[in-house]
Amino acid sequence: MSDQSSVNPMRQAIEKAQASALLAIKTVSDLPALRSLSADLNKKDSPLNALKTELGKLNSVDDKRTMGQLLNSASIAVSAALDIRTGEFEQSEISARIVREAMDLSELVTNRRRGHSHIVTQATMRLEDVFIGLGFQIAEGPEVETDFNNFEALNMPKSHPARSEFDTMFLEYGEPGSVLLRTHTSPVQIRVMQSWPPPIYAIMPGRVFRRDTPDATHMPVFHQIEGLVIDRGITFAHLAGTIEAFTKAFFGRDFTSRLRPSYFPFTEPSAEFDIRRQDGEWIELGGCGMVHPNVLVSSSIDPEEFSGFAFGFGIDRMAKERHKVEDIREMYTNDLRFVKQF
Ligand code: PHE
């Protein structure tokens, strides 16, 4: 039989102990305080634990069971509250740490100084865009070339007088005079013709080298862009039309181009092409012509079946024109006061 006189005070004591433990857990201010509270609550003589020893003093088995269950669920409620509160403190500690350790990168972002491409690179990229728009593909070749690709295959055998116009820098490599720094981008024509079957619509930008003394309009290292078209039925009209379309696309509608008869060993007929500025002045831009049959043959293309045209011009000069640079040497001194203008 239940002994109400001893059970009721015990039930009250359990409820009171539970309530005060839960209140203490709720009002504790930080994690260290919670940890010491938790240690206190787990001590043998904590109010709830002390009540467990009281259980034995109850007479009725029913009362022992009921009060035991009550004590048990009170302990579970308290330890659950401890776990939850610990979790809360840990979470806010993490959030506080994120805030505390956050790095302020705003200064880096606002003060960053962005560089930009060199004006010759800018011009090259624009040229590539224009020619890609006209249906051309881009090809590249090495700066160190063989005499064969730079001269021989371009219809300039060893004795050819035109060779002397290309103030060539030779490398001390292999047979004397057999390896050189390419004097123009035309050897890339040979490489393209030897590796792609026609039809070919390609442009080949790159760096070229000549034994030249730097002055306002010349540098010993400069840039060219080569164009090559090989297909059936290509005529000089296609060449003139391409040059004109390119001139307008690159420089603007109010620019126009003209071709003047000229001579290159690798084209026949050959021409020099000029563009006319808004102020009416003509600027010489490069050379062009119909690919010489000997050049086609040296690249195993049948001149009876295919014909084509080629052109090549200096990119540095175009960048110089476009940005109204007085002296081409300024483009290569890396003076920031100059570079930052573009
Ligand atoms: N390679 C010539 C030069 O450097 C230019 C050119 C290219 C001429 C293609 C005709 C055809 O002067």
Side-chain angles (χ1 to χ4, degrees):
M1 233 191 75
S2 165
D3 177 358
Q4 293 301 322
S5 63
S6 58
V7 162
N8 276 342
M10 182 143 185
R11 182 190 294 276
Q12 279 168 13
I14 294 171
E15 283 166 359
K16 207 180 134 207
Q18 175 179 349
S20 74
L22 291 180
L23 184 68
I25 292 168
K26 207 174 146 189
T27 52
V28 80
S29 61
D30 55 22
L31 198 55
L34 182 68
R35 292 218 170 99
S36 77
L37 175 64
S38 164
D40 287 346
L41 292 172
N42 285 321
K43 275 188 191 150
K44 263 212 152 87
D45 58 352
S46 73
L48 264 182
N49 287 339
L51 283 166
K52 283 179 188 158
T53 54
E54 299 287 304
L55 272 183
K57 295 177 187 162
L58 294 175
N59 296 322
S60 133
V61 176
D62 273 354
D63 288 347
K64 278 187 186 165
R65 190 193 302 125
T66 317
M67 289 303 113
Q69 282 170 354
L70 204 59
L71 262 174
N72 206 30
S73 59
S75 299
I76 290 172
V78 168
S79 70
L82 278 171
D83 285 350
I84 290 170
R85 199 81 176 106
T86 307
E88 283 170 6
F89 277 126
E90 281 172 356
Q91 194 50 55
S92 62
E93 165 63 14
I94 290 170
S95 313
R97 206 166 139 188
I98 288 172
V99 172
R100 197 167 61 241
E101 293 179 1
M103 280 192 282
D104 181 4
L105 302 177
S106 53
E107 199 177 341
L108 283 180
V109 173
T110 51
N111 286 353
R112 97 188 140 188
R113 264 181 278 159
R114 285 184 69 188
H116 62 75
S117 304
H118 190 275
I119 51 175
V120 170
T121 310
Q122 290 177 26
T124 308
M125 293 191 302
R126 273 197 71 219
L127 286 164
E128 289 177 357
D129 281 352
V130 167
F131 280 109
I132 285 172
L134 293 172
F136 284 68
Q137 280 179 281
I138 300 172
E140 277 182 345
E143 292 171 357
V144 173
E145 262 297 2
T146 58
D147 176 89
F148 181 82
N149 286 339
N150 197 83
F151 291 123
E152 198 98 29
L154 287 165
N155 200 31
M156 280 181 279
K158 287 271 184 309
S159 57
H160 203 288
R163 280 183 172 230
S164 61
E165 282 168 33
F166 285 101
D167 307 294
T168 311
M169 290 193 267
F170 289 93
L171 273 81
E172 284 181 6
Y173 186 86
E175 282 286 298
S178 64
V179 181
L180 45 82
L181 291 177
R182 65 180 177 194
T183 57
H184 51 176
T185 42
S186 299
V188 193
Q189 285 187 34
I190 304 300
R191 290 177 178 270
V192 167
M193 284 190 278
Q194 285 175 348
S195 46
W196 300 354
I200 295 168
Y201 292 80
I203 51 157
M204 298 142 260
R207 210 150 54 138
V208 301
F209 308 81
R210 286 186 202 174
R211 211 161 8 86
D212 238 342
T213 309
D215 63 28
T217 51
H218 295 86
M219 285 293 280
V221 181
F222 57 105
H223 303 77
Q224 285 188 335
I225 189 160
E226 192 83 11
L228 177 69
V229 168
I230 305 285
D231 207 341
R232 291 181 179 85
I234 296 292
T235 69
F236 201 91
H238 295 118
L239 166 58
T242 303
I243 298 282
E244 181 68 8
F246 151 74
T247 302
K248 289 208 168 357
F250 188 84
F251 292 98
R253 292 255 129 229
D254 41 357
F255 274 76
T256 185
S257 64
R258 76 174 175 199
L259 299 176
R260 281 180 291 118
S262 185
Y263 171 78
F264 296 100
F266 31 93
T267 46
E268 181 59 35
S270 300
E272 209 87 45
F273 74 88
D274 309 328
I275 55 158
R276 199 183 61 187
R277 290 203 295 224
Q278 286 116 318
D279 66 5
E281 200 190 317
W282 289 96
I283 309 154
E284 191 184 314
L285 217 60
C288 60
M290 301 306 289
V291 178
H292 197 290
N294 288 355
V295 175
L296 294 174
V297 169
S298 73
S299 300
S300 316
I301 291 177
D302 180 3
E304 298 295 324
E305 188 181 356
F306 290 101
S307 60
F309 64 78
F311 55 84
F313 53 83
I315 303 175
D316 309 66
R317 215 167 264 184
M318 294 179 68
K320 180 178 178 293
E321 268 316 310
R322 183 145 177 261
H323 298 287
K324 304 196 165 49
V325 176
E326 288 282 313
D327 189 321
I328 209 160
R329 288 170 293 191
E330 284 192 278
M331 288 164 46
Y332 295 101
T333 49
N334 293 334
D335 184 334
L336 282 179
R337 290 167 301 179
F338 174 83
V339 169
K340 278 182 177 168
Q341 298 177 81
F342 311 104

